[in-house]
Amino acid sequence: MQGEERSIISGRNGVTPEATGEDPRYAAQVRHILAPTDLTPEAQQGIDYAVVIAQGTGATVTLLHVHDEDTIFHYIMGGDNYGDEDSYRDKAEMALRQLCAHYREKYSAITTCYRVGIPWDEVASAATEFDSDLIVLCTHNYRWIEHLFNGSDAERMLRRAPCPVLVVPLQE
Amino acid sequence: MTTVSPEPVKELSVSVHTILVAVDLTENSEHTIGYAVQLAKSLHASIVLVHVFEPQPMYEFPNEYAYDMIENQRREYEMCLVDLMDKVRAAGVGCESAFLDGEPAERITALARQMDADLIVTASHHPTLLARLFNLDKAPQILHRAPCPVLIYHEKAA
């Protein structure tokens, strides 16, 4: 295994860049933060972090709600289930707008987004679409986040994330 | 599962003063540190760089040279960590370093508790494929035991 690792140590023998403020590695920009929420009050702890980081970096925050709906099930069952979906969508979008309006008192660059599907897939694809630099999750009420704590699932999920992920444990 | 009407939002109660950055001292570390520096600047926080040294597995019959090799490696890593700390300081962020031995996830989270860290930043996965197969990724383990938020860094897909 040793041979495969590219080590900073061997790089030190060569030319290392000046550690000034202009070092390109330290210019990593955070321009967009994705904040998935299940629209409960507890999830707002995660959004707090997203907004605070945005205040410091000037990033845009998108509040994302994913309706954890088994779309294949509905496709098979057919027909008239879309009524429920629409009413849920309306309520969720209104809740998202309220949340957005409240956070806008503290920081203006906040948008909302509503998706339906498998939660982590939708989060990852939204992050790719928005070119997010950070995803902020609060570990509450998201059963699928628990997979982040379990070995094999965790790696798979984290690897599929297109950008860094901040996991905020729920403070009691 | 979801109640669709949120209660009124309380004041933002996020304060980040100390960021613990766990580095494995490979090339990826520079990017992780760069990201953490940017965060630290925007949150007006300081950074503690931590590396947990795991000696390479011993040969079946270790001779004196094996111990020397490990000692040398350890010393090199220590110097490397101090170099990184200097770079962070030069970038304008207060920085300390901690060079530890033992089991990484355990030591990192223990240090976070001890220092009352507000955030842990770590890279997402081990750079070598073999290590990944053997489940040496530290991020899930750190997540599991962390007393504070954990930011798992990896570079954005181009």
Side-chain angles (χ1 to χ4, degrees):
Chain A
M1 268 192 242
Q2 233 171 348
E4 284 185 309
E5 278 176 24
R6 296 161 296 159
S7 154
I8 284 181
I9 295 166
S10 49
R12 268 189 326 127
N13 294 330
V15 178
T16 48
E18 277 304 294
T20 63
E22 294 94 51
D23 187 332
R25 274 179 293 237
Y26 295 167
Q29 295 287 334
V30 178
R31 290 189 209 88
H32 186 272
I33 301 176
L34 188 64
T37 169
D38 60 357
L39 298 176
T40 59
E42 288 80 0
Q44 282 162 20
Q45 282 183 22
I47 305 178
D48 286 355
Y49 270 86
V51 170
V52 165
I53 293 176
Q55 282 172 335
T57 58
T60 303
V61 178
T62 296
L63 306 177
L64 168 72
H65 179 69
V66 180
H67 188 195
D68 189 357
E69 192 62 50
D70 191 343
T71 49
I72 296 177
F73 172 78
H74 279 274
Y75 179 73
I76 291 174
M77 297 306 283
D80 304 324
N81 294 319
Y82 299 119
D84 288 340
E85 171 60 38
D86 284 341
S87 73
Y88 183 91
R89 180 196 201 107
D90 289 339
K91 278 188 261 174
E93 287 190 334
M94 185 172 73
L96 274 175
R97 274 194 297 272
Q98 285 175 348
L99 206 54
C100 183
H102 188 99
Y103 277 104
R104 282 224 179 108
E105 292 172 24
K106 304 190 173 42
Y107 184 72
S108 58
I110 304 189
T111 64
T112 63
C113 179
Y114 174 85
R115 296 280 162 95
V116 176
I118 301 168
W120 189 248
D121 288 354
E122 293 302 324
V123 170
S125 82
T128 308
E129 200 181 297
F130 292 119
D131 200 19
S132 304
D133 303 288
L134 181 64
I135 298 172
V136 181
L137 298 170
C138 182
T139 62
H140 160 75
N141 230 4
Y142 278 126
R143 281 188 298 272
W144 50 273
I145 289 188
E146 283 169 17
H147 287 296
L148 278 176
F149 295 79
N150 300 325
S152 55
D153 272 356
E155 294 158 48
R156 232 178 297 129
M157 285 175 71
L158 291 175
R159 210 170 296 145
R160 291 188 55 204
C163 64
V165 178
L166 173 62
V167 179
V168 179
L170 181 69
Q171 305 287 355
E172 298 304 325
Chain B
M1 170 173 95
T2 58
T3 59
V4 182
S5 48
E7 290 167 7
V9 175
K10 303 177 259 316
E11 279 303 311
L12 293 183
S13 56
V14 170
S15 71
V16 178
H17 301 296
T18 309
I19 300 179
L20 201 65
V21 184
V23 292
D24 57 5
L25 298 180
T26 61
E27 267 187 32
N28 297 326
S29 295
E30 296 255 21
H31 296 283
T32 309
I33 293 173
Y35 194 88
V37 163
Q38 221 233 336
L39 273 186
K41 281 185 175 170
S42 58
L43 296 168
H44 305 292
S46 68
I47 286 182
V48 176
L49 291 179
V50 57
H51 175 75
V52 183
F53 181 67
E54 282 181 298
Q56 297 294 319
M58 291 286 228
Y59 305 106
E60 214 173 272
F61 300 107
N63 54 25
E64 60 205 71
Y65 301 117
Y67 291 110
D68 281 348
M69 264 171 49
I70 289 179
E71 266 311 301
N72 287 338
Q73 192 181 44
R74 192 173 193 284
R75 232 173 292 133
E76 279 208 58
Y77 277 29
E78 254 178 310
M79 289 198 302
C80 189
L81 189 67
V82 170
D83 269 1
L84 289 172
M85 176 178 72
D86 291 336
K87 281 191 190 171
V88 171
R89 285 182 177 163
V93 174
C95 185
E96 297 297 328
S97 71
F99 192 89
L100 307 173
D101 301 273
E103 204 274 301
E106 184 68 48
R107 301 295 276 130
I108 290 168
T109 51
L111 185 66
R113 245 173 283 266
Q114 194 182 320
M115 311 192 52
D116 213 9
D118 305 294
L119 178 65
I120 297 175
V121 176
T122 177
S124 78
H125 49 261
H126 202 280
T128 66
L129 180 61
L130 268 180
R132 242 180 279 170
L133 285 177
F134 286 123
N135 194 28
L136 291 185
D137 285 4
K138 301 296 176 279
Q141 297 170 27
I142 293 177
L143 258 186
H144 197 67
R145 306 171 209 218
C148 62
V150 177
L151 189 146
I152 298 157
Y153 175 79
H154 68 87
E155 295 171 54
K156 285 171 65 171

